[in-house]
Amino acid sequence: NAGVTQTPKFRVLKTGQSMTLLCAQDMNHEYMYWYRQDPGMGLRLIHYSVGEGTTAKGEVPDGYNVSRLKKQNFLLGLESAAPSQTSVYFCASSSREFGSYNEQFFGPGTRLTVL
Amino acid sequence: GQQLNQSPQSMFIQEGEDVSMNCTSSSIFNTWLWYKQDPGEGPVLLIALYKAGELTSNGRLTAQFGITRKDSFLNISASIPSDVGIYFCAGQHGGATNKLIFGTGTLLAVQP
């Protein structure tokens, strides 16, 4: 099992450019999440999905869009990148077992710099 | 958005020393979690706590779920160089989405 994988690992964009980050999981998890990590801020939830075809906003969704067309993939899009979106982006997935916490498994991250 | 207050922000210690860090929140949680992030990697779950007052160990790590449900503590005994990394607390209110709220992180450096 590869677990959670993210593509690409690094990317540099110019202001105004667009790009898509891909997250893939092979654990058959229902739930998937996108976070951003900034120095001194911890991880903040951007968007999440509770199943194929469904997405919802997290706490910092502005400037991002997501899609979950297949259960194993969760895409994060930046339509017009801004320097404030320079960050490390993490994808995570978890199962859906009611009654207790379901561990979120994280990918290795994508380091994005917007100039 | 809500974030958890985690302290200290960073710690620089000698190998063999014990370490303590804590996390506080303005709201109560049903679950408290502690994650570790190695350099260049994603966070990995260390310990999960499910009940107020619960004390749970994982090797040299011990964590506690505060009685008020608004705080949690992590202790690392006899630190070793591979303990280096960023430690995050996280809280979960419960509900169907399994969402987490993360702390700001504690950077731990261990000098051999």
Side-chain angles (χ1 to χ4, degrees):
Chain A
N1 279 355
V4 180
T5 57
Q6 293 183 231
T7 309
K9 293 191 186 310
F10 303 94
R11 186 73 186 269
V12 178
L13 290 178
K14 294 182 180 178
T15 297
Q17 288 185 317
S18 63
M19 77 163 295
T20 300
L21 282 67
L22 171 64
C23 176
Q25 52 95 5
D26 61 2
M27 296 175 281
N28 200 35
H29 283 168
E30 289 290 338
Y31 294 171
M32 296 187 75
Y33 312 84
W34 274 108
Y35 293 90
R36 60 177 289 172
Q37 182 179 21
D38 302 295
M41 300 285 287
L43 283 85
R44 293 180 292 168
L45 185 64
I46 305 172
H47 286 280
Y48 64 98
S49 168
V50 298
E52 182 179 324
T54 70
T55 63
K57 294 180 180 180
E59 59 178 311
V60 288
D62 294 343
Y64 305 96
N65 56 76
V66 288
S67 64
R68 183 106 181 263
L69 299 179
K70 294 182 178 181
K71 185 177 182 179
Q72 63 268 35
N73 296 337
F74 195 28
L75 279 63
L76 178 71
L78 286 73
E79 289 187 350
S80 180
S84 60
Q85 294 178 303
T86 293
S87 187
V88 182
Y89 292 85
F90 288 98
C91 176
S93 71
S94 73
S95 60
R96 184 185 64 189
E97 302 286 337
F98 295 112
S100 66
Y101 168 68
N102 299 294
E103 180 179 351
Q104 290 188 22
F105 294 86
F106 285 81
T110 294
R111 185 174 295 274
L112 175 66
T113 301
V114 183
L115 302 176
Chain B
Q2 181 187 9
Q3 278 203 295
L4 306 181
N5 296 314
Q6 194 171 338
S7 65
Q9 280 189 321
S10 59
M11 304 180 72
F12 300 88
I13 62 172
Q14 297 283 335
E15 183 177 0
E17 289 184 23
D18 296 344
V19 170
S20 292
M21 59 191 78
N22 69 81
C23 203
T24 60
S25 169
S26 58
S27 61
I28 63 174
F29 287 108
N30 289 341
T31 305
W32 277 97
L33 305 148
W34 286 92
Y35 277 84
K36 183 194 178 197
Q37 183 180 27
D38 289 328
E41 302 290 333
V44 174
L45 182 65
L46 297 174
I47 292 179
L49 302 155
Y50 300 103
K51 292 183 185 177
E54 179 182 353
L55 189 70
T56 297
S57 293
N58 179 5
R60 294 178 295 105
L61 278 62
T62 301
Q64 184 161 24
F65 192 138
I67 291 291
T68 64
R69 297 171 64 191
K70 291 184 178 182
D71 57 5
S72 181
F73 306 87
L74 176 69
N75 295 318
I76 305 173
S77 62
S79 58
I80 59 178
S82 62
D83 290 335
V84 164
I86 304 176
Y87 292 78
F88 290 102
C89 62
Q92 190 201 26
H93 290 296
T97 62
N98 207 44
K99 289 191 295 181
L100 297 178
I101 296 173
F102 280 85
T104 48
T106 294
L107 173 65
L108 178 63
V110 180
Q111 185 168 3

